[in-house]
Amino acid sequence: MSANSADLPDIDKAELRRLQVLDAAAACFRLAGFHAASMASIAKAAGMSVGHIYHYFANKEAIISAIIDREQHKQLQVIHMLLRAENTIEALIEHAEQGLADSLDLSNSALNFEMIAEASRNPKVAEMLQASNRVLHEFGKDIITKARVDLPALSEEDNNARCDLIISLFDGLSMRAISNPRLNTQAVLPALQRTIVQIVRS
Amino acid sequence: MSANSADLPDIDKAELRRLQVLDAAAACFRLAGFHAASMASIAKAAGMSVGHIYHYFANKEAIISAIIDREQHKQLQVIHMLLRAENTIEALIEHAEQGLADSLDLSNSALNFEMIAEASRNPKVAEMLQASNRVLHEFGKDIITKARVDLPALSEEDNNARCDLIISLFDGLSMRAISNPRLNTQAVLPALQRTIVQIVRS
Amino acid sequence: MSANSADLPDIDKAELRRLQVLDAAAACFRLAGFHAASMASIAKAAGMSVGHIYHYFANKEAIISAIIDREQHKQLQVIHMLLRAENTIEALIEHAEQGLADSLDLSNSALNFEMIAEASRNPKVAEMLQASNRVLHEFGKDIITKARVDLPALSEEDNNARCDLIISLFDGLSMRAISNPRLNTQAVLPALQRTIVQIVRS
Amino acid sequence: MSANSADLPDIDKAELRRLQVLDAAAACFRLAGFHAASMASIAKAAGMSVGHIYHYFANKEAIISAIIDREQHKQLQVIHMLLRAENTIEALIEHAEQGLADSLDLSNSALNFEMIAEASRNPKVAEMLQASNRVLHEFGKDIITKARVDLPALSEEDNNARCDLIISLFDGLSMRAISNPRLNTQAVLPALQRTIVQIVRS
DNA sequence: AATGAATGAGCCTTCATTCAT
DNA sequence: TATGAATGAAGGCTCATTCAT
């Protein structure tokens, strides 16, 4: 149908424009933070006029929300992709290297810090992070349970606690990238892997 | 002497005013972040006119720097106070409870997130955090070494890596307070303690 | 073409807005001086919001520069127009009356004083005045040379000196308008004309 | 009397402090202009606290007025001193060199420009300049009359006009120092002297 | 869909002036 | 006489947002 072949590209185009704005905004937010980045800078980075951005987003806050939403999905997807098929502790250990690298990559974590800072004052943003975290926990629960098939089952609370500890390790390491730029990846990796095993199986 | 009792309070008074501003600024920054908090709000919180703040600080950035500086000192002092006399792994384990509580206390960590976010774009702020971290590492090195008196010595790099991991745990846990408000302290504490021991002694 | 009649006005419109700001600024600067005139007063005089002025000028200093630039061009153009075709001493003498009237017109010279005062501390402004002055000298050189066709040629330095003297007369007279408001144009004009002739031909 | 010997020095001291402020203010005004110079900068230059300046002057405007007043007196005194005894055209010619040098000295004229600019908007300041100018005219009248003892007497208006022209020359030359920094004193002086003679005696 | 002109509130900062000591 | 702490009113400038085209 002509309507179909004409409409779909239009819908796609609009969605593409939206993504174009989000990419530009993410870049600006990374460089300047949510508040210091101006709509003008985002428009420039997106190659579009300031006014036109308001066709796709109600206001700056909506862009921030969309960014946070997308970023959380991206992070979950990365984890999913890494551990999908296998979903075992061996996979977790094996991929710790990639996880460590990601944690230490400032271009990954800069937006994350912005989100955490924002969430610490904005309950709506906090809820977004929490929703994402619930999925992460669901995922971690599986891995831990599988990894302990030969050991006594854990209480739900204990399982969650261990899960929190592992996530904390990676989140905390992303903060290290800033406070300790001389952090030695090669020295940290084995210790990190040992620690993960210990958390899961002790 | 009267000179003494008259002069000293004057010196103190100026310093007191400065602290008054810093306290007010810290409160505002916690609530709104470095950039969204206005000088007017800080002045109001400090019970002083906007203009007068500029007698004590050259500009807003100077206030931010002073806050960061003070906050880093506070954190180091807390650690020092906790572990000073003993400086052993037992003390570390014992005080993990307090450390965990501090990490999970948003009123402690909100400013910390602000600092990290700021440091991820502002090299001067980053340097302040790094200087503070160097002291922390010096301290951690001692504890780890003492805790391993019966074990083979570690290379400097390995020691540092373990130190980074332990700090990461606490930093990461402070992020948990936001992403997982239902985090169960009682369940986390023993796992955390076990993990610290493992990191230090494995 | 419709494109033509639609596009050109747009270009002109922006330029018109710019001129609108400059006219408003000139009026405000005349009344209050460069520093005492506020952006708010300029915006009001230009019938436009404060913020919008910054679409046309980077900052207040840029407005001042543009005003100075335009004012210098205006002055050179007036002189050009007066003496263009003829370029003789007779024209100079004849137009001395207009020149005197211009010098004594405070609405002309108020901005000039502002510029001189500014130039005496701001090297960039000084350079603008000096560039304009060089053109003026080029022009004066021609007139003096032509006026002395029957007399021995002057050294470059002597020619310049005489040129400076004539300009000084007019500039100085503009200061008289303030220090001596009772100055009698009718009495000054013949003496001024005699003096110009003497400076050129003695 | 002890009262006398105690009071007089006090009065002198107060007057000295006043002058100290004026000197400091003159320096600041020269560098930054009346409006851009802050009371704080004046206080610092005067080696005294900001608040104390208000014991000697009601407000900043009073300082400006006092500066203008003093500056005008200074200038008249200089002229008086130069031409006092002789009061002849020969003296005028002879001292033209010093007059030219003074005119071209920016440290002399910077305050003058500030005054003129201020007078062009502030009637009170204008009146001060005009009062000073009246004295100057009185003085010039004498010189011109004496110089023309062998020539027909001039009408009051003609005499004033010539006086204005001579003053204009020097005022205008002070503007040259800014618009034409390459002005050649040696070339200008003889032309200036010839012109003065011509104005007085033609 | 797309532009960018236009607004106005609000921000950081400065400064003349006052006042307690 | 002398200080400098304290105020509050502007000032220049930015920026999210709207709207006519």
Side-chain angles (χ1 to χ4, degrees):
Chain A
M1 300 272 278
S2 76
N4 211 347
S5 64
D7 285 4
L8 273 179
D10 273 13
I11 293 171
D12 281 1
K13 198 185 168 193
E15 191 54 24
L16 257 163
R17 289 295 243 170
R18 252 187 76 96
L19 293 178
Q20 197 176 340
V21 173
L22 287 185
D23 286 340
C28 294
F29 290 155
R30 249 190 290 273
L31 286 174
F34 287 151
H35 288 98
S38 70
M39 289 298 288
S41 73
I42 295 172
K44 193 175 177 182
M48 136 183 2
S49 74
V50 181
H52 199 42
I53 291 185
Y54 284 82
H55 277 254
Y56 300 107
F57 296 94
N59 48 37
K60 194 181 172 184
E61 210 191 313
I63 301 181
I64 294 177
S65 283
I67 288 273
I68 293 176
D69 207 41
R70 193 175 68 156
E71 213 60 23
Q72 297 298 83
H73 273 101
K74 268 191 191 171
Q75 289 177 17
L76 287 179
Q77 261 182 1
V78 166
I79 291 171
H80 237 127
M81 227 179 320
L82 282 182
L83 304 177
R84 182 173 18 122
E86 318 143 56
N87 210 22
T88 65
I89 192 168
E90 285 77 23
L92 183 61
I93 296 305
E94 189 178 329
H95 292 309
E97 183 165 12
Q98 184 59 43
L100 177 58
D102 285 352
S103 283
L104 297 179
D105 180 0
L106 191 62
S107 71
N108 267 332
S109 44
L111 264 180
N112 227 3
F113 298 143
E114 210 60 38
M115 287 184 236
I116 288 283
E118 192 64 22
S120 75
R121 359 186 167 89
N122 186 335
K124 251 160 96 180
V125 172
E127 172 51 37
M128 296 176 78
L129 263 54
Q130 290 159 17
S132 169
N133 179 70
R134 270 175 243 129
V135 178
L136 197 52
H137 261 262
E138 215 59 45
F139 195 74
K141 191 179 176 178
D142 274 10
I143 297 185
I144 295 180
T145 305
K146 279 193 192 164
R148 294 177 59 91
V149 78
D150 57 329
L151 296 172
L154 298 175
S155 71
E156 167 121 6
E157 285 175 349
D158 196 1
N159 193 312
N160 272 326
R162 291 162 193 243
C163 193
D164 278 317
L165 232 41
I166 293 173
I167 302 172
S168 290
L169 270 171
F170 286 97
D171 280 351
L173 281 164
S174 75
M175 289 171 79
R176 294 285 83 202
I178 286 173
S179 296
N180 181 14
R182 297 178 305 189
L183 181 138
N184 184 332
T185 311
Q186 313 235 328
V188 167
L189 182 58
L192 171 64
Q193 289 171 324
R194 258 181 282 132
T195 302
I196 291 171
V197 172
Q198 174 267 324
I199 291 174
V200 170
R201 294 190 48 89
S202 76
Chain B
M1 298 289 279
S2 74
N4 211 349
S5 65
D7 286 3
L8 273 180
D10 272 14
I11 295 171
D12 281 3
K13 199 182 168 194
E15 191 54 24
L16 256 162
R17 289 297 243 167
R18 249 187 79 97
L19 293 178
Q20 195 178 341
V21 174
L22 286 185
D23 287 339
C28 294
F29 289 155
R30 250 191 288 272
L31 285 175
F34 287 151
H35 289 97
S38 70
M39 288 298 291
S41 73
I42 295 172
K44 195 173 177 180
M48 131 183 7
S49 74
V50 180
H52 197 42
I53 291 185
Y54 286 83
H55 276 256
Y56 299 105
F57 297 93
N59 48 37
K60 193 182 172 183
E61 210 190 313
I63 300 181
I64 295 178
S65 283
I67 289 272
I68 294 176
D69 210 41
R70 192 175 69 156
E71 214 60 24
Q72 297 295 88
H73 271 101
K74 267 190 193 171
Q75 290 177 16
L76 287 179
Q77 261 182 0
V78 166
I79 291 172
H80 237 127
M81 229 180 316
L82 283 181
L83 304 177
R84 184 173 19 120
E86 318 143 60
N87 209 24
T88 66
I89 192 166
E90 284 78 24
L92 183 62
I93 296 304
E94 190 179 329
H95 292 307
E97 184 165 11
Q98 184 58 43
L100 176 58
D102 286 351
S103 283
L104 297 179
D105 180 1
L106 191 62
S107 72
N108 265 333
S109 45
L111 266 180
N112 225 3
F113 297 143
E114 210 59 39
M115 287 184 235
I116 289 283
E118 191 63 23
S120 75
R121 342 178 185 99
N122 185 335
K124 250 160 99 178
V125 172
E127 173 50 39
M128 295 177 78
L129 264 55
Q130 290 160 16
S132 170
N133 179 71
R134 270 175 243 128
V135 178
L136 196 53
H137 260 263
E138 213 60 43
F139 196 72
K141 190 180 177 178
D142 274 8
I143 297 185
I144 295 180
T145 305
K146 282 195 189 161
R148 293 177 60 90
V149 77
D150 57 329
L151 297 171
L154 298 175
S155 71
E156 168 119 8
E157 285 175 349
D158 196 1
N159 193 312
N160 273 325
R162 291 162 194 243
C163 193
D164 278 317
L165 270 189
I166 292 174
I167 302 172
S168 290
L169 270 172
F170 286 97
D171 280 350
L173 280 164
S174 74
M175 288 170 79
R176 293 286 83 202
I178 287 172
S179 297
N180 181 12
R182 297 178 306 189
L183 180 138
N184 185 330
T185 312
Q186 314 235 326
V188 167
L189 182 58
L192 172 63
Q193 289 171 324
R194 259 180 281 130
T195 302
I196 292 172
V197 173
Q198 174 268 325
I199 292 175
V200 171
R201 295 190 48 90
S202 78
Chain C
M1 300 279 278
S2 75
N4 211 348
S5 62
D7 285 3
L8 274 179
D10 271 13
I11 295 170
D12 281 2
K13 199 182 167 193
E15 190 55 24
L16 257 162
R17 288 297 244 169
R18 249 188 79 97
L19 293 178
Q20 195 178 340
V21 174
L22 286 185
D23 287 339
C28 293
F29 289 155
R30 250 191 289 273
L31 286 174
F34 286 150
H35 289 98
S38 71
M39 288 299 290
S41 72
I42 295 172
K44 195 173 178 182
M48 140 182 359
S49 74
V50 179
H52 197 40
I53 291 185
Y54 286 83
H55 277 255
Y56 299 106
F57 297 93
N59 48 37
K60 193 181 173 185
E61 208 191 314
I63 300 181
I64 295 177
S65 282
I67 289 271
I68 294 176
D69 209 41
R70 191 174 71 156
E71 213 61 23
Q72 297 296 85
H73 272 101
K74 268 190 192 171
Q75 289 177 17
L76 287 178
Q77 261 181 0
V78 165
I79 291 170
H80 237 128
M81 230 181 315
L82 283 181
L83 304 177
R84 182 174 19 120
E86 318 143 56
N87 209 22
T88 66
I89 191 165
E90 284 79 23
L92 183 61
I93 296 304
E94 191 178 329
H95 291 310
E97 184 166 10
Q98 185 58 42
L100 177 57
D102 286 351
S103 282
L104 297 179
D105 181 1
L106 190 63
S107 71
N108 265 333
S109 44
L111 266 180
N112 225 2
F113 298 142
E114 210 59 37
M115 287 185 235
I116 289 283
E118 191 63 23
S120 75
R121 353 185 174 91
N122 185 335
K124 249 159 101 180
V125 172
E127 173 51 36
M128 295 178 78
L129 265 53
Q130 290 161 14
S132 170
N133 179 71
R134 269 175 242 129
V135 178
L136 196 53
H137 260 263
E138 213 59 44
F139 197 72
K141 189 181 178 178
D142 274 8
I143 298 186
I144 295 180
T145 306
K146 279 193 191 162
R148 294 178 57 92
V149 79
D150 56 328
L151 296 171
L154 299 175
S155 72
E156 168 121 7
E157 285 176 349
D158 197 1
N159 193 313
N160 272 326
R162 290 162 193 241
C163 194
D164 278 318
L165 233 41
I166 292 174
I167 302 172
S168 290
L169 272 171
F170 286 97
D171 280 351
L173 281 163
S174 75
M175 288 171 80
R176 294 285 85 203
I178 286 172
S179 296
N180 181 13
R182 297 177 307 188
L183 180 138
N184 184 332
T185 312
Q186 312 235 326
V188 167
L189 182 58
L192 171 63
Q193 289 171 323
R194 257 181 283 130
T195 303
I196 292 171
V197 172
Q198 174 267 324
I199 291 174
V200 171
R201 292 190 49 90
S202 75
Chain D
M1 304 270 280
S2 74
N4 212 349
S5 64
D7 286 2
L8 273 180
D10 272 11
I11 294 171
D12 280 1
K13 197 185 170 193
E15 190 55 24
L16 257 164
R17 289 296 243 169
R18 250 187 78 95
L19 293 178
Q20 197 177 341
V21 173
L22 287 184
D23 287 339
C28 294
F29 289 155
R30 249 191 289 274
L31 286 175
F34 288 150
H35 289 98
S38 70
M39 289 296 289
S41 72
I42 295 172
K44 193 175 177 182
M48 130 183 9
S49 75
V50 181
H52 199 42
I53 292 185
Y54 284 82
H55 276 256
Y56 300 107
F57 297 93
N59 49 35
K60 193 181 172 183
E61 210 192 313
I63 301 181
I64 295 178
S65 283
I67 288 273
I68 294 176
D69 207 42
R70 192 175 70 155
E71 212 61 23
Q72 296 297 86
H73 272 101
K74 267 192 192 170
Q75 289 177 17
L76 287 179
Q77 261 180 1
V78 165
I79 291 170
H80 237 125
M81 229 182 314
L82 281 182
L83 303 177
R84 183 171 20 119
E86 318 143 59
N87 209 21
T88 66
I89 191 166
E90 285 78 23
L92 183 60
I93 296 303
E94 191 179 329
H95 292 308
E97 185 166 9
Q98 185 59 43
L100 177 57
D102 286 351
S103 283
L104 297 179
D105 180 1
L106 190 63
S107 71
N108 267 332
S109 43
L111 264 179
N112 227 2
F113 297 143
E114 211 59 39
M115 286 184 236
I116 289 284
E118 193 62 24
S120 75
R121 351 180 177 96
N122 186 334
K124 250 160 95 180
V125 172
E127 172 52 37
M128 296 177 78
L129 264 54
Q130 289 160 15
S132 168
N133 179 70
R134 270 176 243 126
V135 178
L136 196 53
H137 261 264
E138 214 60 44
F139 196 74
K141 190 179 176 178
D142 274 9
I143 298 186
I144 294 180
T145 306
K146 279 194 191 162
R148 291 178 61 90
V149 77
D150 57 329
L151 296 172
L154 298 175
S155 72
E156 168 119 9
E157 285 174 349
D158 197 1
N159 192 314
N160 272 327
R162 291 163 194 242
C163 194
D164 278 318
L165 271 188
I166 292 173
I167 302 172
S168 290
L169 272 171
F170 286 97
D171 280 351
L173 281 164
S174 75
M175 289 171 80
R176 293 286 83 202
I178 286 171
S179 296
N180 181 13
R182 298 178 305 189
L183 181 137
N184 183 332
T185 313
Q186 313 234 327
V188 167
L189 183 57
L192 172 63
Q193 288 171 324
R194 259 181 281 131
T195 302
I196 291 171
V197 172
Q198 174 268 326
I199 291 174
V200 171
R201 294 191 48 90
S202 76

